[in-house]
Amino acid sequence: MLKGFHHIAIICSNYTVSKSFYTEVLGFEVLDENYRESRRSYKCDLALPDGSQIELFSFPDAPKRPSRPEAQGLRHLAFRVDNLDDAIARLKTNQVESEPIRVDEYTGKRFTFFNDPDGLPLELYER
C-alpha cells in the first residue's frame, strides 16, 4: 500500500531562521514559497536531490507541540500512495478511520489524514 514518504511538514517558531537552517545548513532547495495573507503564514516547499521534501510552515503565535497539527515541531508524516481510494479502503478494513478526502490547493492532488494508535497525525497523499 505505502510507496514511500511524500513529505514531512514542520511548523517553525521563526520562519527566517528555520528556512536558513534547512536551505543553507542542510542543503534543501526551495521548490516553492508562498505567503498566505489570510493565515499570516508562509508555506515553503523544500527538497533534497532524491526528491525528499519538507513543507515548512509558519503560523503566528503557534503553541508548543501538543498532539495535533498546526503547532511547532513535527506536523505530520505523509505517505505516498498510488491510489488513495484503495489505501483508504485498506485502512477501513483494519478499523482505522480517515478524514474526508481533500485536494491540495497548490498541486491539485488528493489526500487524507488519519491517526496512529497514539494520535500522531498521518497523511496518505496520492501520486
Side-chain angles (χ1 to χ4, degrees), residues 93-116:
T93 298
N94 290 284
Q95 290 75 48
V96 177
E97 295 297 319
S98 63
E99 294 181 2
I101 293 173
R102 300 187 227 173
V103 177
D104 188 304
E105 67 184 281
Y106 296 110
T107 67
K109 301 288 184 173
R110 298 181 328 139
F111 66 97
T112 190
F113 285 94
F114 62 101
N115 293 324
D116 80 354

Side-chain angles (χ1 to χ4, degrees), residues 64-124:
K64 297 291 182 190
R65 178 76 191 159
S67 62
R68 293 292 301 168
E70 311 304 343
Q72 293 176 17
L74 182 64
R75 188 174 188 203
H76 62 267
L77 298 179
F79 299 98
R80 182 176 56 238
V81 297
D82 287 331
N83 185 301
L84 186 60
D85 298 314
D86 289 348
I88 291 170
R90 182 172 174 153
L91 289 176
K92 285 184 182 179
T93 298
N94 290 284
Q95 290 75 48
V96 177
E97 295 297 319
S98 63
E99 294 181 2
I101 293 173
R102 300 187 227 173
V103 177
D104 188 304
E105 67 184 281
Y106 296 110
T107 67
K109 301 288 184 173
R110 298 181 328 139
F111 66 97
T112 190
F113 285 94
F114 62 101
N115 293 324
D116 80 354
D118 295 308
L120 177 67
L122 302 173
E123 178 182 357
L124 295 176

